[in-house]
Amino acid sequence: MLPPSQSSEFGRGRRSVVGALLAGALLLVSSGADAQSRPLDALRSEGVVGERFDGFAVLHGPASADVTALLTRVNAERRAIYEQNAASQKVPVGAIGKIYAQEILKSAPAKTWFLSESGQWSQK
């Protein structure tokens, strides 16, 4: 167990990392850094595309080649952002994706499908 002074320093450091990650997530979601956000929102509202627990978009049923290509681009953009944040914060990429997933869930349009880590789908 860490002494109280070290424990609180660790807690503050961890909180600042999480705070920085959440700020980045909000920027990504609110600024439309995802260049395809409007078409993606329509596809999510229609139930064609869902979001996963790890911060990546996923098909929620059959889709055209155009939709599949869009998801490939969106996920590549997200992966690059997650990897950059993970490297700068010295945390696992998966942890970054999960933080972004929380923010994506909050800002996603109504009727968006979400795939949990256990494989269960739920709708917003």
Side-chain angles (χ1 to χ4, degrees), residues 31-56:
S31 72
D34 172 355
Q36 311 298 331
S37 61
R38 289 186 187 172
L40 185 62
D41 279 349
L43 292 168
R44 292 189 295 193
S45 292
E46 295 166 11
V48 175
V49 171
E51 293 289 342
R52 290 190 331 208
F53 68 94
D54 59 359
F56 291 101

Side-chain angles (χ1 to χ4, degrees), residues 5 9 17 19 32 36-37 39-40 42-43 47 63 65 77-78 81 83-84 91 103-107 122 124:
S5 62
E9 287 175 25
V17 167
Q36 311 298 331
S37 61
L40 185 62
L43 292 168
E77 291 173 8
R78 289 180 183 183
I81 291 167
E83 288 173 352
Q84 181 181 14
V91 296
E103 296 306 315
I104 291 167
L105 170 64
K106 290 177 189 174
S107 67
S122 62
K124 182 174 180 183

Side-chain angles (χ1 to χ4, degrees), residues 6-83:
Q6 287 181 341
S7 176
S8 63
E9 287 175 25
F10 174 75
R12 277 194 302 270
R14 186 163 187 243
R15 283 191 299 272
S16 66
V17 167
V18 170
L21 293 174
L22 285 174
L26 287 171
L27 181 61
L28 170 71
V29 171
S30 66
S31 72
D34 172 355
Q36 311 298 331
S37 61
R38 289 186 187 172
L40 185 62
D41 279 349
L43 292 168
R44 292 189 295 193
S45 292
E46 295 166 11
V48 175
V49 171
E51 293 289 342
R52 290 190 331 208
F53 68 94
D54 59 359
F56 291 101
V58 63
L59 289 176
H60 183 251
S64 69
D66 289 344
V67 171
T68 302
L70 172 67
L71 284 188
T72 299
R73 286 192 305 273
V74 166
N75 285 334
E77 291 173 8
R78 289 180 183 183
R79 183 176 315 284
I81 291 167
Y82 300 168
E83 288 173 352

